[in-house]
Amino acid sequence: MMVFKSKNEVAIKIKALASEDLSIGFVPTMGALHDGHIALMKTAALENDVLAVSIFVNPTQFNNSTDLDKYPRNVGKDIELIYSHFDKEQTIIYTPDVDDVYSDQIIAKHYAYGGLENKMEGASRPGHFDGVGTILEFLFHLFKPARAYFGEKDFQQLQIVKSLREQLALDLEIIGCPISREDSGLARSSRNGRLTDLGWITAAKIYQSLLLAKEMYASGKYDRIQKTVEQTYDKIENLDLEYFTIAREVDLETAPPAEMPQKGLRAFVVAHVDGVRLIDNMKLS
Ligand code: PAF
């Protein structure tokens, strides 16, 4: 069983694997694992010799201490779930305490991601992507993976991580994987566990709103999409829209209706249900 709480133990293991020339597929997580994480791990296990998973709720990427406190944690169950799917001998799990990662001070480094950091999630959650960069720089250096896997649900994070790899000139491939959804269309998220039964039903409307945007986009009703989607949220109880925006995948620049007939656009949404902040997106073109 390869479950490590210490970075030093991980470093020794990684060195041994490197000496055997074994490739590592890395899936960083904050735990509370669900089928979406397992799908990332399956791809990583398939494409590499060894699967590595980190489970760590990273404090520096939370700008709201209540959100950090409420973030679901159940490492024992997470480890069981991983080992119910993957070979124990081929799977490394790192579940550090905060002081193994942040030795003296729990602070984030600063990164410039070419402006990506100021859009959408960056604007709503100041400092969030500095925290993400800090933990991923640490983890990438520790695991030295050949490939690292990220879900497209956090599409902005995926673009940020690609920019981080460029900045740090890291020799690894960043792989984006499709959003994993419940039958209702609700994007799988660790946060869904905090939804009430009714909240689960309401939250599926977020997916419906993206489908509506896609449909309107396909029929060229560019100038009406924003308003129509916003109006659907106004009509649904216990579903509060934080933002809905159509932006270019490459730089996350908002696309005004006049520029919409172009390739590489995506609709992005954040909404709150039962006080839980949920994020989703959908490719439009
Ligand atoms: O997407 C997440 O779960 C986190 O942002 C990540 C990439 C594990 C960094 O803490």
Side-chain angles (χ1 to χ4, degrees):
M1 184 119 122
M2 294 196 279
V3 181
F4 301 111
K5 280 197 81 73
S6 138
K7 59 178 180 277
N8 297 334
E9 288 168 0
V10 173
I12 292 167
K13 185 72 206 170
I14 296 298
K15 212 169 164 186
L17 294 172
S19 71
E20 292 177 59
D21 217 14
L22 296 173
S23 64
I24 293 168
F26 179 47
V27 180
T29 82
M30 297 207 296
L33 302 179
H34 50 71
D35 286 355
H37 292 113
I38 299 299
L40 295 181
M41 291 177 205
K42 283 189 174 158
T43 311
L46 209 69
E47 295 181 352
N48 301 275
D49 300 313
V50 175
L51 166 66
V53 179
S54 62
I55 301 174
F56 178 62
V57 181
N58 173 37
T60 61
Q61 70 187 76
F62 288 81
N63 57 324
N64 174 331
S65 59
T66 317
D67 199 22
L68 173 61
D69 292 343
K70 282 193 184 162
Y71 202 87
R73 294 166 171 87
N74 195 338
V75 175
K77 206 167 143 205
D78 288 340
I79 294 172
E80 255 177 54
L81 183 68
I82 296 172
Y83 283 144
S84 72
H85 287 272
F86 303 98
D87 183 343
K88 287 193 167 101
E89 298 310 311
Q90 310 288 118
T91 309
I92 301 175
I93 305 176
Y94 175 47
T95 66
D97 290 329
V98 172
D99 56 4
D100 195 57
V101 174
Y102 295 97
S103 318
D104 6 313
Q105 279 181 307
I106 306 175
I107 47 168
K109 291 165 79 169
H110 293 295
Y111 299 87
Y113 301 102
L116 287 173
E117 70 277 21
N118 304 321
K119 311 266 177 353
M120 298 185 288
E121 288 305 276
S124 291
R125 307 175 67 189
H128 171 65
F129 289 120
D130 278 339
V132 170
T134 304
I135 187 64
L136 289 178
E137 181 176 355
F138 167 84
L139 292 169
F140 288 157
H141 280 132
L142 181 61
F143 281 95
K144 304 184 184 11
R147 296 169 198 86
Y149 297 80
F150 295 84
E152 284 185 346
K153 178 171 74 68
D154 298 298
F155 190 84
Q156 186 173 8
Q157 171 171 275
L158 174 62
Q159 301 299 65
I160 290 265
V161 178
K162 287 180 180 167
S163 158
L164 184 75
R165 180 208 41 203
E166 295 302 312
Q167 277 178 60
L168 302 175
L170 296 171
D171 182 18
L172 85 157
E173 224 180 305
I174 304 296
I175 300 186
C177 301
I179 299 174
S180 170
R181 297 187 181 278
E182 304 289 347
D183 289 344
S184 66
L186 173 64
R188 292 202 166 95
S189 162
S190 304
R191 293 168 188 260
N192 293 355
R194 287 169 45 211
L195 294 170
T196 60
D197 288 351
L198 188 60
W200 272 83
I201 297 167
T202 308
K205 311 266 188 215
I206 298 171
Y207 175 65
Q208 298 298 332
S209 78
L210 288 170
L211 285 181
L212 172 66
K214 194 179 163 90
E215 219 175 272
M216 291 186 75
Y217 183 87
S219 46
K221 298 176 186 152
Y222 307 129
D223 50 351
R224 304 218 314 259
I225 303 177
Q226 184 78 29
K227 194 147 188 91
T228 310
V229 169
E230 284 173 4
Q231 280 168 349
T232 66
Y233 280 83
D234 290 343
K235 288 187 203 133
I236 302 165
E237 219 178 303
N238 190 29
L239 179 64
D240 300 317
L241 182 63
E242 183 177 316
Y243 64 74
F244 169 82
T245 184
I246 294 178
R248 300 189 331 199
E249 290 179 332
V250 59
D251 55 9
L252 305 178
E253 220 36 86
T254 307
E259 286 174 26
M260 281 196 190
Q262 60 176 290
K263 288 255 178 283
L265 292 188
R266 221 168 246 263
F268 296 88
V269 64
V270 169
H272 298 249
V273 178
D274 294 335
V276 183
R277 188 173 188 275
L278 299 170
I279 185 167
D280 202 350
N281 69 77
M282 190 175 283
K283 191 167 177 61
L284 298 181
S285 63

